Amino acid sequence: MHLARDEIAATLRHALTGEGGGYAVLRLGNLAKALSGVRFRRLVTGFAAEVAVPFSPFPRWPLWKDIGFKVDKDPGKSSGIGYNAFHMDLVNGTRPPDYTTLLCVRLDPLGGGTSILSDAHAAVARLSEDNRALLAESAYHYGTFFDLHGVGEEYKPFPILDGSDLGAGFVRFTAKMLERSELSQAHADAARELAEELVRGQVSFMLQPGDYLIVNQRRFLHGRKALHSGQDTVPVADRRLLLQLFLRAKASDGSAA
């Protein structure tokens, strides 16, 4: 049993931090059907704890945060029903979570909500040298920062390319900054080119009930395609539901800050 657990942990760590890696999807649908919701979440938390330390940056919410969908929310937000563009979570904290994870509880019954991922550093490598230089300047800002725990201090302004090592530092990007932050034309154009490269290099897949997605935020950015039209006809109890858990890399992990 311990050998199997060690093998699973080693496989996960390689998928998340090994060469060419950055994310993993655990297909746990059969276990989700066999166990109660609480027991299944405990099991998934145990899987996560094999590779990193689960924590909640939001004192007012439980360890697992519900991401339900509401038709009256901003469509571009995680709880909205529209296209959720590429981003990293808690982009404006000095110590954002090393990993963001999503557990699929229910699909969109109408067939939308495909997950999208993109290799952030591969996208950056395709940019011009001038634009990479602009992205490395502390000229970007996005969002508010309050009532948070374990993610450092507010980082404002911040560089999108945070760290001298292109392959290890965070790419502090959220496409929403292009519309909701006041940026110089040059800095906005550089960020917009990055957004285009992220889309060009994206992979997409539909999470099934019981699937557990783990994303290394130092390597990949994530998002979601729009839910299918007609969500107002779907009862709240039947709408797509995800649970989110954040992870902090262990001190021995090369991806730790």
mmCIF file of all heavy atoms in Angstrom, residues 147-191:
data_model
loop_
_atom_site.group_PDB
_atom_site.id
_atom_site.type_symbol
_atom_site.label_atom_id
_atom_site.label_comp_id
_atom_site.label_asym_id
_atom_site.label_seq_id
_atom_site.Cartn_x
_atom_site.Cartn_y
_atom_site.Cartn_z
ATOM 1 N N ASP A 147 -8.190 40.506 3.375
ATOM 2 C CA ASP A 147 -8.650 39.322 4.090
ATOM 3 C C ASP A 147 -8.064 38.048 3.480
ATOM 4 O O ASP A 147 -8.784 37.075 3.214
ATOM 5 C CB ASP A 147 -10.185 39.264 4.088
ATOM 6 C CG ASP A 147 -10.723 38.314 5.168
ATOM 7 O OD1 ASP A 147 -9.957 37.984 6.090
ATOM 8 O OD2 ASP A 147 -11.901 37.920 5.079
ATOM 9 N N LEU A 148 -6.753 38.051 3.275
ATOM 10 C CA LEU A 148 -6.060 36.894 2.717
ATOM 11 C C LEU A 148 -5.014 36.398 3.704
ATOM 12 O O LEU A 148 -4.487 37.164 4.513
ATOM 13 C CB LEU A 148 -5.390 37.253 1.390
ATOM 14 C CG LEU A 148 -6.322 37.668 0.251
ATOM 15 C CD1 LEU A 148 -5.524 38.156 -0.941
ATOM 16 C CD2 LEU A 148 -7.221 36.503 -0.160
ATOM 17 N N HIS A 149 -4.706 35.114 3.616
ATOM 18 C CA HIS A 149 -3.761 34.492 4.542
ATOM 19 C C HIS A 149 -2.801 33.592 3.770
ATOM 20 O O HIS A 149 -3.211 32.829 2.891
ATOM 21 C CB HIS A 149 -4.516 33.665 5.587
ATOM 22 C CG HIS A 149 -3.623 32.852 6.471
ATOM 23 N ND1 HIS A 149 -2.877 33.403 7.487
ATOM 24 C CD2 HIS A 149 -3.347 31.517 6.472
ATOM 25 C CE1 HIS A 149 -2.184 32.447 8.086
ATOM 26 N NE2 HIS A 149 -2.442 31.299 7.490
ATOM 27 N N GLY A 150 -1.517 33.680 4.092
ATOM 28 C CA GLY A 150 -0.552 32.742 3.550
ATOM 29 C C GLY A 150 -0.082 33.010 2.143
ATOM 30 O O GLY A 150 0.562 32.148 1.533
ATOM 31 N N VAL A 151 -0.381 34.193 1.609
ATOM 32 C CA VAL A 151 0.058 34.511 0.243
ATOM 33 C C VAL A 151 0.926 35.776 0.214
ATOM 34 O O VAL A 151 1.074 36.413 -0.826
ATOM 35 C CB VAL A 151 -1.147 34.658 -0.713
ATOM 36 C CG1 VAL A 151 -1.820 33.318 -0.913
ATOM 37 C CG2 VAL A 151 -2.145 35.691 -0.203
ATOM 38 N N GLY A 152 1.512 36.112 1.353
ATOM 39 C CA GLY A 152 2.404 37.253 1.402
ATOM 40 C C GLY A 152 1.678 38.574 1.475
ATOM 41 O O GLY A 152 0.567 38.678 1.996
ATOM 42 N N GLU A 153 2.307 39.597 0.926
ATOM 43 C CA GLU A 153 1.766 40.954 0.930
ATOM 44 C C GLU A 153 1.250 41.311 -0.468
ATOM 45 O O GLU A 153 1.507 40.594 -1.433
ATOM 46 C CB GLU A 153 2.858 41.952 1.348
ATOM 47 C CG GLU A 153 3.540 41.624 2.664
ATOM 48 C CD GLU A 153 2.577 41.673 3.832
ATOM 49 O OE1 GLU A 153 1.630 42.486 3.785
ATOM 50 O OE2 GLU A 153 2.762 40.904 4.790
ATOM 51 N N GLU A 154 0.543 42.421 -0.529
ATOM 52 C CA GLU A 154 0.076 42.888 -1.840
ATOM 53 C C GLU A 154 1.269 43.277 -2.702
ATOM 54 O O GLU A 154 2.187 43.960 -2.245
ATOM 55 C CB GLU A 154 -0.878 44.067 -1.693
ATOM 56 C CG GLU A 154 -1.433 44.544 -3.032
ATOM 57 C CD GLU A 154 -2.486 45.630 -2.902
ATOM 58 O OE1 GLU A 154 -2.588 46.223 -1.815
ATOM 59 O OE2 GLU A 154 -3.199 45.874 -3.890
ATOM 60 N N TYR A 155 1.250 42.869 -3.940
ATOM 61 C CA TYR A 155 2.316 43.146 -4.900
ATOM 62 C C TYR A 155 1.738 44.091 -5.946
ATOM 63 O O TYR A 155 0.975 43.679 -6.818
ATOM 64 C CB TYR A 155 2.751 41.831 -5.535
ATOM 65 C CG TYR A 155 4.114 41.807 -6.173
ATOM 66 C CD1 TYR A 155 4.598 40.624 -6.731
ATOM 67 C CD2 TYR A 155 4.921 42.936 -6.242
ATOM 68 C CE1 TYR A 155 5.849 40.561 -7.329
ATOM 69 C CE2 TYR A 155 6.170 42.888 -6.835
ATOM 70 C CZ TYR A 155 6.625 41.699 -7.377
ATOM 71 O OH TYR A 155 7.867 41.646 -7.983
ATOM 72 N N LYS A 156 2.083 45.366 -5.846
ATOM 73 C CA LYS A 156 1.502 46.368 -6.734
ATOM 74 C C LYS A 156 2.421 47.569 -6.837
ATOM 75 O O LYS A 156 2.677 48.220 -5.818
ATOM 76 C CB LYS A 156 0.129 46.793 -6.205
ATOM 77 C CG LYS A 156 -0.599 47.823 -7.052
ATOM 78 C CD LYS A 156 -1.931 48.185 -6.431
ATOM 79 C CE LYS A 156 -2.644 49.246 -7.257
ATOM 80 N NZ LYS A 156 -3.963 49.608 -6.679
ATOM 81 N N PRO A 157 2.916 47.868 -8.033
ATOM 82 C CA PRO A 157 2.776 47.097 -9.279
ATOM 83 C C PRO A 157 3.700 45.880 -9.277
ATOM 84 O O PRO A 157 4.599 45.779 -8.443
ATOM 85 C CB PRO A 157 3.174 48.108 -10.341
ATOM 86 C CG PRO A 157 4.190 48.975 -9.658
ATOM 87 C CD PRO A 157 3.702 49.106 -8.240
ATOM 88 N N PHE A 158 3.481 44.995 -10.214
ATOM 89 C CA PHE A 158 4.310 43.796 -10.302
ATOM 90 C C PHE A 158 4.739 43.573 -11.751
ATOM 91 O O PHE A 158 4.099 44.053 -12.689
ATOM 92 C CB PHE A 158 3.558 42.566 -9.781
ATOM 93 C CG PHE A 158 2.225 42.319 -10.435
ATOM 94 C CD1 PHE A 158 2.127 41.694 -11.676
ATOM 95 C CD2 PHE A 158 1.047 42.702 -9.806
ATOM 96 C CE1 PHE A 158 0.897 41.463 -12.267
ATOM 97 C CE2 PHE A 158 -0.199 42.470 -10.387
ATOM 98 C CZ PHE A 158 -0.276 41.849 -11.620
ATOM 99 N N PRO A 159 5.836 42.828 -11.948
ATOM 100 C CA PRO A 159 6.211 42.426 -13.302
ATOM 101 C C PRO A 159 5.440 41.176 -13.692
ATOM 102 O O PRO A 159 5.152 40.327 -12.848
ATOM 103 C CB PRO A 159 7.709 42.128 -13.164
ATOM 104 C CG PRO A 159 7.856 41.636 -11.756
ATOM 105 C CD PRO A 159 6.831 42.397 -10.939
ATOM 106 N N ILE A 160 5.099 41.039 -14.940
ATOM 107 C CA ILE A 160 4.495 39.785 -15.389
ATOM 108 C C ILE A 160 5.540 38.675 -15.365
ATOM 109 O O ILE A 160 5.266 37.565 -14.909
ATOM 110 C CB ILE A 160 3.875 39.953 -16.786
ATOM 111 C CG1 ILE A 160 2.604 40.813 -16.696
ATOM 112 C CG2 ILE A 160 3.556 38.600 -17.406
ATOM 113 C CD1 ILE A 160 1.904 41.060 -18.010
ATOM 114 N N LEU A 161 6.740 38.979 -15.829
ATOM 115 C CA LEU A 161 7.833 38.006 -15.756
ATOM 116 C C LEU A 161 8.558 38.213 -14.443
ATOM 117 O O LEU A 161 9.415 39.084 -14.319
ATOM 118 C CB LEU A 161 8.786 38.176 -16.941
ATOM 119 C CG LEU A 161 8.154 38.032 -18.326
ATOM 120 C CD1 LEU A 161 9.225 38.054 -19.404
ATOM 121 C CD2 LEU A 161 7.321 36.767 -18.418
ATOM 122 N N ASP A 162 8.203 37.416 -13.460
ATOM 123 C CA ASP A 162 8.695 37.600 -12.090
ATOM 124 C C ASP A 162 9.774 36.574 -11.796
ATOM 125 O O ASP A 162 9.501 35.433 -11.448
ATOM 126 C CB ASP A 162 7.537 37.445 -11.102
ATOM 127 C CG ASP A 162 7.914 37.853 -9.694
ATOM 128 O OD1 ASP A 162 9.024 38.381 -9.509
ATOM 129 O OD2 ASP A 162 7.102 37.649 -8.784
ATOM 130 N N GLY A 163 11.022 36.976 -11.951
ATOM 131 C CA GLY A 163 12.144 36.071 -11.718
ATOM 132 C C GLY A 163 13.051 36.048 -12.920
ATOM 133 O O GLY A 163 12.604 36.091 -14.068
ATOM 134 N N SER A 164 14.345 35.963 -12.650
ATOM 135 C CA SER A 164 15.312 36.013 -13.746
ATOM 136 C C SER A 164 15.364 34.714 -14.537
ATOM 137 O O SER A 164 15.774 34.695 -15.693
ATOM 138 C CB SER A 164 16.715 36.321 -13.175
ATOM 139 O OG SER A 164 17.087 35.351 -12.209
ATOM 140 N N ASP A 165 14.959 33.609 -13.913
ATOM 141 C CA ASP A 165 14.987 32.315 -14.584
ATOM 142 C C ASP A 165 13.681 32.125 -15.342
ATOM 143 O O ASP A 165 12.628 31.907 -14.753
ATOM 144 C CB ASP A 165 15.174 31.203 -13.555
ATOM 145 C CG ASP A 165 15.355 29.835 -14.205
ATOM 146 O OD1 ASP A 165 15.061 29.711 -15.413
ATOM 147 O OD2 ASP A 165 15.793 28.911 -13.501
ATOM 148 N N LEU A 166 13.744 32.188 -16.649
ATOM 149 C CA LEU A 166 12.542 32.111 -17.475
ATOM 150 C C LEU A 166 11.763 30.830 -17.232
ATOM 151 O O LEU A 166 10.545 30.799 -17.321
ATOM 152 C CB LEU A 166 12.921 32.211 -18.956
ATOM 153 C CG LEU A 166 11.777 32.159 -19.972
ATOM 154 C CD1 LEU A 166 10.825 33.328 -19.778
ATOM 155 C CD2 LEU A 166 12.313 32.134 -21.388
ATOM 156 N N GLY A 167 12.453 29.756 -16.866
ATOM 157 C CA GLY A 167 11.770 28.491 -16.706
ATOM 158 C C GLY A 167 11.218 28.224 -15.327
ATOM 159 O O GLY A 167 10.582 27.202 -15.111
ATOM 160 N N ALA A 168 11.457 29.105 -14.346
ATOM 161 C CA ALA A 168 11.052 28.808 -12.971
ATOM 162 C C ALA A 168 10.178 29.876 -12.341
ATOM 163 O O ALA A 168 9.344 29.576 -11.506
ATOM 164 C CB ALA A 168 12.295 28.584 -12.105
ATOM 165 N N GLY A 169 10.371 31.128 -12.706
ATOM 166 C CA GLY A 169 9.615 32.201 -12.068
ATOM 167 C C GLY A 169 8.167 32.211 -12.495
ATOM 168 O O GLY A 169 7.774 31.626 -13.509
ATOM 169 N N PHE A 170 7.339 32.886 -11.690
ATOM 170 C CA PHE A 170 5.934 33.036 -12.052
ATOM 171 C C PHE A 170 5.785 33.922 -13.290
ATOM 172 O O PHE A 170 6.536 34.879 -13.484
ATOM 173 C CB PHE A 170 5.155 33.699 -10.912
ATOM 174 C CG PHE A 170 4.890 32.806 -9.739
ATOM 175 C CD1 PHE A 170 5.515 33.028 -8.528
ATOM 176 C CD2 PHE A 170 4.002 31.742 -9.837
ATOM 177 C CE1 PHE A 170 5.265 32.212 -7.434
ATOM 178 C CE2 PHE A 170 3.746 30.918 -8.756
ATOM 179 C CZ PHE A 170 4.382 31.152 -7.542
ATOM 180 N N VAL A 171 4.824 33.594 -14.110
ATOM 181 C CA VAL A 171 4.357 34.497 -15.155
ATOM 182 C C VAL A 171 3.059 35.083 -14.609
ATOM 183 O O VAL A 171 1.997 34.470 -14.701
ATOM 184 C CB VAL A 171 4.133 33.768 -16.498
ATOM 185 C CG1 VAL A 171 3.575 34.735 -17.544
ATOM 186 C CG2 VAL A 171 5.446 33.158 -16.991
ATOM 187 N N ARG A 172 3.169 36.254 -14.001
ATOM 188 C CA ARG A 172 2.043 36.856 -13.275
ATOM 189 C C ARG A 172 1.094 37.531 -14.262
ATOM 190 O O ARG A 172 1.144 38.737 -14.473
ATOM 191 C CB ARG A 172 2.562 37.878 -12.260
ATOM 192 C CG ARG A 172 3.323 37.269 -11.108
ATOM 193 C CD ARG A 172 3.827 38.345 -10.161
ATOM 194 N NE ARG A 172 4.470 37.765 -8.999
ATOM 195 C CZ ARG A 172 3.842 37.410 -7.885
ATOM 196 N NH1 ARG A 172 2.544 37.619 -7.789
ATOM 197 N NH2 ARG A 172 4.490 36.866 -6.879
ATOM 198 N N PHE A 173 0.250 36.714 -14.828
ATOM 199 C CA PHE A 173 -0.616 37.233 -15.884
ATOM 200 C C PHE A 173 -2.069 36.879 -15.618
ATOM 201 O O PHE A 173 -2.394 35.775 -15.186
ATOM 202 C CB PHE A 173 -0.202 36.656 -17.239
ATOM 203 C CG PHE A 173 -1.051 37.143 -18.379
ATOM 204 C CD1 PHE A 173 -0.865 38.409 -18.903
ATOM 205 C CD2 PHE A 173 -2.052 36.341 -18.910
ATOM 206 C CE1 PHE A 173 -1.661 38.876 -19.950
ATOM 207 C CE2 PHE A 173 -2.842 36.789 -19.954
ATOM 208 C CZ PHE A 173 -2.648 38.058 -20.479
ATOM 209 N N THR A 174 -2.941 37.835 -15.876
ATOM 210 C CA THR A 174 -4.370 37.579 -16.009
ATOM 211 C C THR A 174 -4.860 38.428 -17.162
ATOM 212 O O THR A 174 -4.580 39.637 -17.229
ATOM 213 C CB THR A 174 -5.146 37.904 -14.721
ATOM 214 O OG1 THR A 174 -6.553 37.818 -14.982
ATOM 215 C CG2 THR A 174 -4.818 39.284 -14.180
ATOM 216 N N ALA A 175 -5.547 37.827 -18.093
ATOM 217 C CA ALA A 175 -6.005 38.565 -19.267
ATOM 218 C C ALA A 175 -6.946 39.706 -18.889
ATOM 219 O O ALA A 175 -7.099 40.660 -19.661
ATOM 220 C CB ALA A 175 -6.689 37.616 -20.246
ATOM 221 N N LYS A 176 -7.550 39.623 -17.713
ATOM 222 C CA LYS A 176 -8.483 40.674 -17.301
ATOM 223 C C LYS A 176 -7.786 42.008 -17.088
ATOM 224 O O LYS A 176 -8.423 43.060 -17.142
ATOM 225 C CB LYS A 176 -9.208 40.250 -16.028
ATOM 226 C CG LYS A 176 -10.090 39.025 -16.215
ATOM 227 C CD LYS A 176 -10.632 38.531 -14.880
ATOM 228 C CE LYS A 176 -11.343 37.201 -15.045
ATOM 229 N NZ LYS A 176 -11.749 36.628 -13.748
ATOM 230 N N MET A 177 -6.463 41.989 -16.851
ATOM 231 C CA MET A 177 -5.751 43.251 -16.649
ATOM 232 C C MET A 177 -5.768 44.113 -17.913
ATOM 233 O O MET A 177 -5.609 45.330 -17.846
ATOM 234 C CB MET A 177 -4.310 42.991 -16.209
ATOM 235 C CG MET A 177 -3.435 42.364 -17.262
ATOM 236 S SD MET A 177 -1.672 42.288 -16.824
ATOM 237 C CE MET A 177 -1.673 41.294 -15.348
ATOM 238 N N LEU A 178 -5.997 43.485 -19.058
ATOM 239 C CA LEU A 178 -6.010 44.244 -20.300
ATOM 240 C C LEU A 178 -7.209 45.178 -20.381
ATOM 241 O O LEU A 178 -7.159 46.201 -21.063
ATOM 242 C CB LEU A 178 -6.015 43.285 -21.491
ATOM 243 C CG LEU A 178 -4.759 42.422 -21.642
ATOM 244 C CD1 LEU A 178 -4.952 41.373 -22.719
ATOM 245 C CD2 LEU A 178 -3.557 43.301 -21.954
ATOM 246 N N GLU A 179 -8.287 44.826 -19.697
ATOM 247 C CA GLU A 179 -9.492 45.652 -19.729
ATOM 248 C C GLU A 179 -9.706 46.431 -18.434
ATOM 249 O O GLU A 179 -10.376 47.464 -18.444
ATOM 250 C CB GLU A 179 -10.723 44.776 -19.991
ATOM 251 C CG GLU A 179 -10.709 44.066 -21.327
ATOM 252 C CD GLU A 179 -11.933 43.187 -21.524
ATOM 253 O OE1 GLU A 179 -12.732 43.073 -20.566
ATOM 254 O OE2 GLU A 179 -12.095 42.616 -22.620
ATOM 255 N N ARG A 180 -9.138 45.942 -17.331
ATOM 256 C CA ARG A 180 -9.494 46.499 -16.031
ATOM 257 C C ARG A 180 -8.342 47.146 -15.304
ATOM 258 O O ARG A 180 -8.444 47.484 -14.120
ATOM 259 C CB ARG A 180 -10.094 45.385 -15.159
ATOM 260 C CG ARG A 180 -11.288 44.725 -15.831
ATOM 261 C CD ARG A 180 -11.893 43.626 -14.992
ATOM 262 N NE ARG A 180 -12.903 42.898 -15.742
ATOM 263 C CZ ARG A 180 -13.617 41.906 -15.238
ATOM 264 N NH1 ARG A 180 -13.440 41.527 -13.984
ATOM 265 N NH2 ARG A 180 -14.521 41.292 -15.988
ATOM 266 N N SER A 181 -7.223 47.338 -15.959
ATOM 267 C CA SER A 181 -6.087 48.033 -15.362
ATOM 268 C C SER A 181 -5.630 49.129 -16.308
ATOM 269 O O SER A 181 -5.708 48.973 -17.528
ATOM 270 C CB SER A 181 -4.927 47.066 -15.112
ATOM 271 O OG SER A 181 -5.304 46.041 -14.225
ATOM 272 N N GLU A 182 -5.167 50.227 -15.741
ATOM 273 C CA GLU A 182 -4.640 51.317 -16.552
ATOM 274 C C GLU A 182 -3.171 51.040 -16.832
ATOM 275 O O GLU A 182 -2.331 51.102 -15.940
ATOM 276 C CB GLU A 182 -4.816 52.647 -15.813
ATOM 277 C CG GLU A 182 -6.272 53.060 -15.633
ATOM 278 C CD GLU A 182 -6.406 54.417 -14.957
ATOM 279 O OE1 GLU A 182 -5.356 55.034 -14.676
ATOM 280 O OE2 GLU A 182 -7.549 54.835 -14.720
ATOM 281 N N LEU A 183 -2.868 50.722 -18.086
ATOM 282 C CA LEU A 183 -1.519 50.382 -18.498
ATOM 283 C C LEU A 183 -1.088 51.313 -19.618
ATOM 284 O O LEU A 183 -1.919 51.808 -20.388
ATOM 285 C CB LEU A 183 -1.455 48.937 -19.002
ATOM 286 C CG LEU A 183 -1.933 47.838 -18.049
ATOM 287 C CD1 LEU A 183 -1.988 46.503 -18.780
ATOM 288 C CD2 LEU A 183 -1.023 47.743 -16.840
ATOM 289 N N SER A 184 0.218 51.524 -19.720
ATOM 290 C CA SER A 184 0.713 52.282 -20.860
ATOM 291 C C SER A 184 0.455 51.467 -22.120
ATOM 292 O O SER A 184 0.271 50.247 -22.068
ATOM 293 C CB SER A 184 2.214 52.550 -20.713
ATOM 294 O OG SER A 184 2.951 51.352 -20.931
ATOM 295 N N GLN A 185 0.434 52.136 -23.252
ATOM 296 C CA GLN A 185 0.155 51.441 -24.502
ATOM 297 C C GLN A 185 1.171 50.337 -24.761
ATOM 298 O O GLN A 185 0.816 49.222 -25.166
ATOM 299 C CB GLN A 185 0.150 52.429 -25.669
ATOM 300 C CG GLN A 185 -0.355 51.836 -26.974
ATOM 301 C CD GLN A 185 -1.809 51.404 -26.876
ATOM 302 O OE1 GLN A 185 -2.672 52.176 -26.469
ATOM 303 N NE2 GLN A 185 -2.089 50.150 -27.241
ATOM 304 N N ALA A 186 2.455 50.626 -24.506
ATOM 305 C CA ALA A 186 3.502 49.641 -24.773
ATOM 306 C C ALA A 186 3.351 48.419 -23.874
ATOM 307 O O ALA A 186 3.466 47.272 -24.334
ATOM 308 C CB ALA A 186 4.879 50.273 -24.581
ATOM 309 N N HIS A 187 3.087 48.645 -22.587
ATOM 310 C CA HIS A 187 2.937 47.514 -21.665
ATOM 311 C C HIS A 187 1.671 46.720 -21.969
ATOM 312 O O HIS A 187 1.659 45.489 -21.865
ATOM 313 C CB HIS A 187 2.932 48.018 -20.218
ATOM 314 C CG HIS A 187 4.263 48.491 -19.741
ATOM 315 N ND1 HIS A 187 4.583 49.828 -19.622
ATOM 316 C CD2 HIS A 187 5.378 47.808 -19.380
ATOM 317 C CE1 HIS A 187 5.819 49.955 -19.191
ATOM 318 N NE2 HIS A 187 6.334 48.733 -19.043
ATOM 319 N N ALA A 188 0.610 47.414 -22.361
ATOM 320 C CA ALA A 188 -0.620 46.722 -22.723
ATOM 321 C C ALA A 188 -0.422 45.891 -23.985
ATOM 322 O O ALA A 188 -0.895 44.746 -24.071
ATOM 323 C CB ALA A 188 -1.752 47.729 -22.919
ATOM 324 N N ASP A 189 0.282 46.420 -24.960
ATOM 325 C CA ASP A 189 0.519 45.682 -26.205
ATOM 326 C C ASP A 189 1.348 44.432 -25.951
ATOM 327 O O ASP A 189 1.088 43.363 -26.531
ATOM 328 C CB ASP A 189 1.222 46.574 -27.225
ATOM 329 C CG ASP A 189 0.310 47.646 -27.805
ATOM 330 O OD1 ASP A 189 -0.924 47.527 -27.627
ATOM 331 O OD2 ASP A 189 0.832 48.596 -28.420
ATOM 332 N N ALA A 190 2.359 44.542 -25.078
ATOM 333 C CA ALA A 190 3.189 43.378 -24.756
ATOM 334 C C ALA A 190 2.354 42.300 -24.073
ATOM 335 O O ALA A 190 2.466 41.114 -24.388
ATOM 336 C CB ALA A 190 4.364 43.795 -23.870
ATOM 337 N N ALA A 191 1.491 42.713 -23.129
ATOM 338 C CA ALA A 191 0.626 41.752 -22.440
ATOM 339 C C ALA A 191 -0.391 41.143 -23.390
ATOM 340 O O ALA A 191 -0.733 39.956 -23.290
ATOM 341 C CB ALA A 191 -0.079 42.445 -21.272
#
